Amino acid sequence: MPAPLTPAIEPVGADGFTRRERVWLDQTIKHMAELNDLLAERGSPRRYGIGPEAPPVEPGSETTGLWQVANNAVAWLNATNLPGDHETAMRLMKLAEEAGEVMQAYIGMQGQNPRKGKTHTADDVAAELCDVILTAAVALHQFTDQPAATLDHHMRRVNHRMKQASSDHGN
């Protein structure tokens, strides 16, 4: 059996990988892309990635839509963290943390803390609300394979109830 290649035998390139590691990684990335294409073809929102960094999102591209960014975040988290009840709990706790950051920004915008004064703006509150929406979209993936359709269905029900309540009150 041949001796395994080591950095002493095979030099590490500028990207931090040996040639053999780079070939393996490139093949794995290609297979992961093929898997994501197959998942997309059957309508699954699940996407998988490799490595500790989230897939890049180009500002202004189609990948900046809520569900694409949420899918990217889910793929990143799934590739980085072990799946299971603990990970689900962490994603739900992250949602609660983000909601707390909305309140912190709102309190800061109002200057409610006399020791600190006004520390935030309406833009800060809006950004924190956006974080809540994205974090909720990521968490929703834990409970359905069709999070966008699930949200759309729920929004239709809420809209129907609002119309019904409006007509019940003569509006």
Side-chain angles (χ1 to χ4, degrees):
M1 185 158 157
L5 294 176
T6 65
I9 297 170
E10 185 177 357
V12 175
D15 63 356
F17 296 102
T18 65
R19 188 185 68 70
R20 181 175 170 194
E21 292 165 341
R22 171 51 59 198
V23 167
W24 182 88
L25 183 59
D26 288 344
Q27 289 173 346
T28 303
I29 290 169
K30 179 182 174 230
H31 290 140
M32 196 65 64
E34 290 170 356
L35 171 63
N36 286 334
D37 289 344
L38 290 171
L39 291 168
E41 281 178 22
R42 73 173 173 84
S44 173
R46 296 201 185 270
R47 298 295 179 272
Y48 295 91
I50 297 172
E53 296 179 8
V57 175
E58 300 285 329
S61 73
E62 63 181 303
T63 60
T64 57
L66 171 64
W67 293 110
Q68 185 60 51
V69 174
N71 290 342
N72 288 347
V74 168
W76 175 44
L77 291 168
N78 288 349
T80 306
N81 301 333
L82 294 174
D85 291 343
H86 178 75
E87 180 61 17
T88 299
M90 293 296 104
R91 293 180 194 186
L92 293 172
M93 283 188 266
K94 180 66 177 171
L95 180 58
E97 176 199 359
E98 293 295 344
E101 290 178 13
V102 169
M103 296 314 304
Q104 180 182 6
Y106 184 76
I107 288 167
M109 183 183 84
Q110 296 299 318
Q112 184 65 28
N113 184 335
R115 183 177 55 83
K116 294 181 179 179
K118 291 193 177 201
T119 59
H120 291 76
T121 67
D123 287 344
D124 295 325
V125 177
E128 295 299 342
L129 286 167
C130 290
D131 286 346
V132 168
I133 292 166
L134 177 58
T135 304
V138 169
L140 186 56
H141 280 79
Q142 296 295 103
F143 300 96
T144 177
D145 286 335
Q146 300 290 326
T150 300
L151 180 62
D152 184 61
H153 177 72
H154 186 75
M155 293 298 98
R156 289 174 192 271
R157 288 187 0 230
V158 168
N159 194 48
H160 176 76
R161 286 195 310 259
M162 287 189 306
K163 285 181 179 178
Q164 186 65 42
S166 180
S167 66
D168 289 347
H169 291 90
N171 293 331

mmCIF file of all heavy atoms in Angstrom, residues 79-110:
data_model
loop_
_atom_site.group_PDB
_atom_site.id
_atom_site.type_symbol
_atom_site.label_atom_id
_atom_site.label_comp_id
_atom_site.label_asym_id
_atom_site.label_seq_id
_atom_site.Cartn_x
_atom_site.Cartn_y
_atom_site.Cartn_z
ATOM 1 N N ALA A 79 -24.679 22.237 6.347
ATOM 2 C CA ALA A 79 -23.332 21.732 6.065
ATOM 3 C C ALA A 79 -22.394 21.947 7.246
ATOM 4 O O ALA A 79 -21.399 21.244 7.376
ATOM 5 C CB ALA A 79 -22.768 22.427 4.826
ATOM 6 N N THR A 80 -22.723 22.897 8.103
ATOM 7 C CA THR A 80 -21.837 23.269 9.203
ATOM 8 C C THR A 80 -22.234 22.618 10.523
ATOM 9 O O THR A 80 -21.378 22.234 11.308
ATOM 10 C CB THR A 80 -21.823 24.806 9.372
ATOM 11 O OG1 THR A 80 -21.492 25.399 8.121
ATOM 12 C CG2 THR A 80 -20.816 25.242 10.405
ATOM 13 N N ASN A 81 -23.532 22.485 10.773
ATOM 14 C CA ASN A 81 -24.027 21.999 12.062
ATOM 15 C C ASN A 81 -24.657 20.629 11.910
ATOM 16 O O ASN A 81 -25.169 20.288 10.845
ATOM 17 C CB ASN A 81 -25.062 22.978 12.624
ATOM 18 C CG ASN A 81 -24.492 24.364 12.817
ATOM 19 O OD1 ASN A 81 -23.302 24.537 13.015
ATOM 20 N ND2 ASN A 81 -25.346 25.357 12.740
ATOM 21 N N LEU A 82 -24.653 19.877 12.993
ATOM 22 C CA LEU A 82 -25.286 18.567 12.985
ATOM 23 C C LEU A 82 -26.803 18.727 12.996
ATOM 24 O O LEU A 82 -27.334 19.532 13.754
ATOM 25 C CB LEU A 82 -24.852 17.757 14.209
ATOM 26 C CG LEU A 82 -23.380 17.363 14.257
ATOM 27 C CD1 LEU A 82 -23.065 16.703 15.596
ATOM 28 C CD2 LEU A 82 -23.042 16.431 13.111
ATOM 29 N N PRO A 83 -27.514 17.974 12.159
ATOM 30 C CA PRO A 83 -28.980 18.080 12.148
ATOM 31 C C PRO A 83 -29.573 17.444 13.406
ATOM 32 O O PRO A 83 -28.925 16.640 14.070
ATOM 33 C CB PRO A 83 -29.375 17.291 10.893
ATOM 34 C CG PRO A 83 -28.261 16.311 10.705
ATOM 35 C CD PRO A 83 -27.016 16.996 11.203
ATOM 36 N N GLY A 84 -30.795 17.812 13.711
ATOM 37 C CA GLY A 84 -31.490 17.198 14.831
ATOM 38 C C GLY A 84 -32.243 18.209 15.660
ATOM 39 O O GLY A 84 -32.331 19.393 15.328
ATOM 40 N N ASP A 85 -32.791 17.722 16.762
ATOM 41 C CA ASP A 85 -33.609 18.565 17.633
ATOM 42 C C ASP A 85 -32.822 19.743 18.202
ATOM 43 O O ASP A 85 -33.360 20.839 18.347
ATOM 44 C CB ASP A 85 -34.195 17.740 18.781
ATOM 45 C CG ASP A 85 -35.248 16.743 18.311
ATOM 46 O OD1 ASP A 85 -35.748 16.908 17.175
ATOM 47 O OD2 ASP A 85 -35.565 15.814 19.075
ATOM 48 N N HIS A 86 -31.554 19.515 18.525
ATOM 49 C CA HIS A 86 -30.735 20.601 19.077
ATOM 50 C C HIS A 86 -30.594 21.730 18.063
ATOM 51 O O HIS A 86 -30.759 22.904 18.408
ATOM 52 C CB HIS A 86 -29.360 20.079 19.500
ATOM 53 C CG HIS A 86 -28.460 21.146 20.026
ATOM 54 N ND1 HIS A 86 -28.625 21.687 21.280
ATOM 55 C CD2 HIS A 86 -27.420 21.807 19.459
ATOM 56 C CE1 HIS A 86 -27.711 22.621 21.476
ATOM 57 N NE2 HIS A 86 -26.960 22.715 20.395
ATOM 58 N N GLU A 87 -30.315 21.390 16.804
ATOM 59 C CA GLU A 87 -30.161 22.412 15.762
ATOM 60 C C GLU A 87 -31.484 23.147 15.544
ATOM 61 O O GLU A 87 -31.499 24.367 15.367
ATOM 62 C CB GLU A 87 -29.661 21.800 14.455
ATOM 63 C CG GLU A 87 -29.477 22.805 13.333
ATOM 64 C CD GLU A 87 -28.455 23.902 13.618
ATOM 65 O OE1 GLU A 87 -27.623 23.767 14.530
ATOM 66 O OE2 GLU A 87 -28.512 24.926 12.917
ATOM 67 N N THR A 88 -32.596 22.420 15.570
ATOM 68 C CA THR A 88 -33.905 23.062 15.443
ATOM 69 C C THR A 88 -34.112 24.056 16.587
ATOM 70 O O THR A 88 -34.534 25.196 16.353
ATOM 71 C CB THR A 88 -35.030 22.013 15.433
ATOM 72 O OG1 THR A 88 -34.843 21.155 14.299
ATOM 73 C CG2 THR A 88 -36.403 22.654 15.384
ATOM 74 N N ALA A 89 -33.797 23.645 17.799
ATOM 75 C CA ALA A 89 -33.934 24.543 18.948
ATOM 76 C C ALA A 89 -33.042 25.771 18.794
ATOM 77 O O ALA A 89 -33.461 26.897 19.116
ATOM 78 C CB ALA A 89 -33.600 23.798 20.243
ATOM 79 N N MET A 90 -31.835 25.584 18.283
ATOM 80 C CA MET A 90 -30.921 26.719 18.091
ATOM 81 C C MET A 90 -31.503 27.720 17.088
ATOM 82 O O MET A 90 -31.405 28.933 17.286
ATOM 83 C CB MET A 90 -29.551 26.251 17.596
ATOM 84 C CG MET A 90 -28.742 25.435 18.595
ATOM 85 S SD MET A 90 -28.297 26.382 20.062
ATOM 86 C CE MET A 90 -29.449 25.721 21.240
ATOM 87 N N ARG A 91 -32.103 27.221 16.023
ATOM 88 C CA ARG A 91 -32.678 28.123 15.014
ATOM 89 C C ARG A 91 -33.885 28.867 15.566
ATOM 90 O O ARG A 91 -34.094 30.044 15.248
ATOM 91 C CB ARG A 91 -33.017 27.348 13.744
ATOM 92 C CG ARG A 91 -31.746 26.845 13.058
ATOM 93 C CD ARG A 91 -31.979 26.080 11.797
ATOM 94 N NE ARG A 91 -30.751 25.379 11.421
ATOM 95 C CZ ARG A 91 -30.594 24.711 10.299
ATOM 96 N NH1 ARG A 91 -31.573 24.654 9.418
ATOM 97 N NH2 ARG A 91 -29.462 24.081 10.047
ATOM 98 N N LEU A 92 -34.666 28.216 16.421
ATOM 99 C CA LEU A 92 -35.791 28.901 17.044
ATOM 100 C C LEU A 92 -35.304 29.917 18.081
ATOM 101 O O LEU A 92 -35.863 31.019 18.182
ATOM 102 C CB LEU A 92 -36.745 27.891 17.680
ATOM 103 C CG LEU A 92 -37.477 26.986 16.690
ATOM 104 C CD1 LEU A 92 -38.235 25.893 17.419
ATOM 105 C CD2 LEU A 92 -38.393 27.786 15.780
ATOM 106 N N MET A 93 -34.259 29.576 18.824
ATOM 107 C CA MET A 93 -33.698 30.541 19.779
ATOM 108 C C MET A 93 -33.090 31.734 19.049
ATOM 109 O O MET A 93 -33.171 32.870 19.524
ATOM 110 C CB MET A 93 -32.660 29.871 20.675
ATOM 111 C CG MET A 93 -33.294 29.014 21.761
ATOM 112 S SD MET A 93 -32.084 28.412 22.946
ATOM 113 C CE MET A 93 -31.732 26.819 22.231
ATOM 114 N N LYS A 94 -32.518 31.508 17.890
ATOM 115 C CA LYS A 94 -31.968 32.606 17.087
ATOM 116 C C LYS A 94 -33.091 33.572 16.705
ATOM 117 O O LYS A 94 -32.904 34.786 16.702
ATOM 118 C CB LYS A 94 -31.262 32.054 15.851
ATOM 119 C CG LYS A 94 -30.649 33.110 14.961
ATOM 120 C CD LYS A 94 -29.507 33.821 15.645
ATOM 121 C CE LYS A 94 -28.851 34.824 14.706
ATOM 122 N NZ LYS A 94 -27.892 35.675 15.399
ATOM 123 N N LEU A 95 -34.257 33.029 16.394
ATOM 124 C CA LEU A 95 -35.410 33.867 16.064
ATOM 125 C C LEU A 95 -35.789 34.748 17.259
ATOM 126 O O LEU A 95 -36.027 35.951 17.101
ATOM 127 C CB LEU A 95 -36.589 32.995 15.630
ATOM 128 C CG LEU A 95 -37.874 33.705 15.246
ATOM 129 C CD1 LEU A 95 -37.642 34.695 14.108
ATOM 130 C CD2 LEU A 95 -38.922 32.674 14.857
ATOM 131 N N ALA A 96 -35.807 34.158 18.452
ATOM 132 C CA ALA A 96 -36.120 34.949 19.661
ATOM 133 C C ALA A 96 -35.054 36.013 19.898
ATOM 134 O O ALA A 96 -35.371 37.144 20.275
ATOM 135 C CB ALA A 96 -36.239 34.023 20.868
ATOM 136 N N GLU A 97 -33.793 35.670 19.655
ATOM 137 C CA GLU A 97 -32.710 36.645 19.815
ATOM 138 C C GLU A 97 -32.893 37.821 18.855
ATOM 139 O O GLU A 97 -32.753 38.985 19.237
ATOM 140 C CB GLU A 97 -31.359 35.983 19.541
ATOM 141 C CG GLU A 97 -30.198 36.952 19.600
ATOM 142 C CD GLU A 97 -28.942 36.443 18.906
ATOM 143 O OE1 GLU A 97 -28.936 35.316 18.383
ATOM 144 O OE2 GLU A 97 -27.970 37.218 18.875
ATOM 145 N N GLU A 98 -33.222 37.519 17.608
ATOM 146 C CA GLU A 98 -33.418 38.581 16.612
ATOM 147 C C GLU A 98 -34.591 39.474 16.992
ATOM 148 O O GLU A 98 -34.537 40.694 16.822
ATOM 149 C CB GLU A 98 -33.615 37.997 15.217
ATOM 150 C CG GLU A 98 -32.394 37.290 14.643
ATOM 151 C CD GLU A 98 -31.202 38.205 14.395
ATOM 152 O OE1 GLU A 98 -31.356 39.445 14.374
ATOM 153 O OE2 GLU A 98 -30.096 37.669 14.244
ATOM 154 N N ALA A 99 -35.672 38.885 17.526
ATOM 155 C CA ALA A 99 -36.812 39.689 17.972
ATOM 156 C C ALA A 99 -36.384 40.619 19.109
ATOM 157 O O ALA A 99 -36.807 41.783 19.166
ATOM 158 C CB ALA A 99 -37.962 38.786 18.414
ATOM 159 N N GLY A 100 -35.520 40.142 19.991
ATOM 160 C CA GLY A 100 -34.993 40.990 21.056
ATOM 161 C C GLY A 100 -34.176 42.153 20.499
ATOM 162 O O GLY A 100 -34.212 43.266 21.042
ATOM 163 N N GLU A 101 -33.462 41.911 19.403
ATOM 164 C CA GLU A 101 -32.675 42.981 18.786
ATOM 165 C C GLU A 101 -33.584 44.043 18.163
ATOM 166 O O GLU A 101 -33.229 45.223 18.131
ATOM 167 C CB GLU A 101 -31.700 42.400 17.776
ATOM 168 C CG GLU A 101 -30.579 41.621 18.451
ATOM 169 C CD GLU A 101 -29.606 40.980 17.480
ATOM 170 O OE1 GLU A 101 -29.626 41.310 16.273
ATOM 171 O OE2 GLU A 101 -28.815 40.135 17.935
ATOM 172 N N VAL A 102 -34.769 43.640 17.688
ATOM 173 C CA VAL A 102 -35.746 44.627 17.203
ATOM 174 C C VAL A 102 -36.137 45.544 18.351
ATOM 175 O O VAL A 102 -36.152 46.772 18.205
ATOM 176 C CB VAL A 102 -37.003 43.940 16.614
ATOM 177 C CG1 VAL A 102 -38.110 44.955 16.354
ATOM 178 C CG2 VAL A 102 -36.672 43.168 15.353
ATOM 179 N N MET A 103 -36.442 44.950 19.495
ATOM 180 C CA MET A 103 -36.868 45.751 20.647
ATOM 181 C C MET A 103 -35.734 46.648 21.126
ATOM 182 O O MET A 103 -35.968 47.812 21.478
ATOM 183 C CB MET A 103 -37.363 44.844 21.780
ATOM 184 C CG MET A 103 -38.612 44.050 21.404
ATOM 185 S SD MET A 103 -39.908 45.024 20.574
ATOM 186 C CE MET A 103 -40.183 46.315 21.753
ATOM 187 N N GLN A 104 -34.517 46.141 21.137
ATOM 188 C CA GLN A 104 -33.367 46.955 21.539
ATOM 189 C C GLN A 104 -33.217 48.162 20.608
ATOM 190 O O GLN A 104 -33.004 49.282 21.065
ATOM 191 C CB GLN A 104 -32.102 46.100 21.508
ATOM 192 C CG GLN A 104 -30.853 46.850 21.900
ATOM 193 C CD GLN A 104 -29.609 45.974 21.811
ATOM 194 O OE1 GLN A 104 -29.647 44.837 21.357
ATOM 195 N NE2 GLN A 104 -28.494 46.525 22.255
ATOM 196 N N ALA A 105 -33.356 47.930 19.303
ATOM 197 C CA ALA A 105 -33.237 49.032 18.342
ATOM 198 C C ALA A 105 -34.384 50.029 18.514
ATOM 199 O O ALA A 105 -34.175 51.248 18.450
ATOM 200 C CB ALA A 105 -33.208 48.487 16.914
ATOM 201 N N TYR A 106 -35.592 49.545 18.763
ATOM 202 C CA TYR A 106 -36.739 50.441 18.943
ATOM 203 C C TYR A 106 -36.573 51.285 20.215
ATOM 204 O O TYR A 106 -36.814 52.495 20.195
ATOM 205 C CB TYR A 106 -38.045 49.645 18.982
ATOM 206 C CG TYR A 106 -39.247 50.550 19.070
ATOM 207 C CD1 TYR A 106 -39.690 51.246 17.947
ATOM 208 C CD2 TYR A 106 -39.914 50.735 20.269
ATOM 209 C CE1 TYR A 106 -40.786 52.112 18.023
ATOM 210 C CE2 TYR A 106 -41.002 51.589 20.359
ATOM 211 C CZ TYR A 106 -41.428 52.269 19.232
ATOM 212 O OH TYR A 106 -42.498 53.113 19.323
ATOM 213 N N ILE A 107 -36.152 50.652 21.292
ATOM 214 C CA ILE A 107 -35.905 51.389 22.535
ATOM 215 C C ILE A 107 -34.834 52.452 22.296
ATOM 216 O O ILE A 107 -34.958 53.600 22.739
ATOM 217 C CB ILE A 107 -35.514 50.425 23.670
ATOM 218 C CG1 ILE A 107 -36.740 49.613 24.109
ATOM 219 C CG2 ILE A 107 -34.900 51.168 24.861
ATOM 220 C CD1 ILE A 107 -36.423 48.423 25.007
ATOM 221 N N GLY A 108 -33.791 52.068 21.559
ATOM 222 C CA GLY A 108 -32.731 53.022 21.241
ATOM 223 C C GLY A 108 -33.212 54.145 20.341
ATOM 224 O O GLY A 108 -32.770 55.299 20.459
ATOM 225 N N MET A 109 -34.119 53.850 19.432
ATOM 226 C CA MET A 109 -34.673 54.880 18.547
ATOM 227 C C MET A 109 -35.530 55.874 19.338
ATOM 228 O O MET A 109 -35.518 57.071 19.075
ATOM 229 C CB MET A 109 -35.516 54.228 17.446
ATOM 230 C CG MET A 109 -36.068 55.220 16.436
ATOM 231 S SD MET A 109 -37.135 54.436 15.208
ATOM 232 C CE MET A 109 -38.692 54.422 16.095
ATOM 233 N N GLN A 110 -36.229 55.364 20.345
ATOM 234 C CA GLN A 110 -37.097 56.219 21.174
ATOM 235 C C GLN A 110 -36.305 56.985 22.226
ATOM 236 O O GLN A 110 -36.834 57.920 22.825
ATOM 237 C CB GLN A 110 -38.179 55.375 21.858
ATOM 238 C CG GLN A 110 -39.148 54.723 20.898
ATOM 239 C CD GLN A 110 -39.913 55.743 20.078
ATOM 240 O OE1 GLN A 110 -40.357 56.767 20.586
ATOM 241 N NE2 GLN A 110 -40.050 55.484 18.795
#
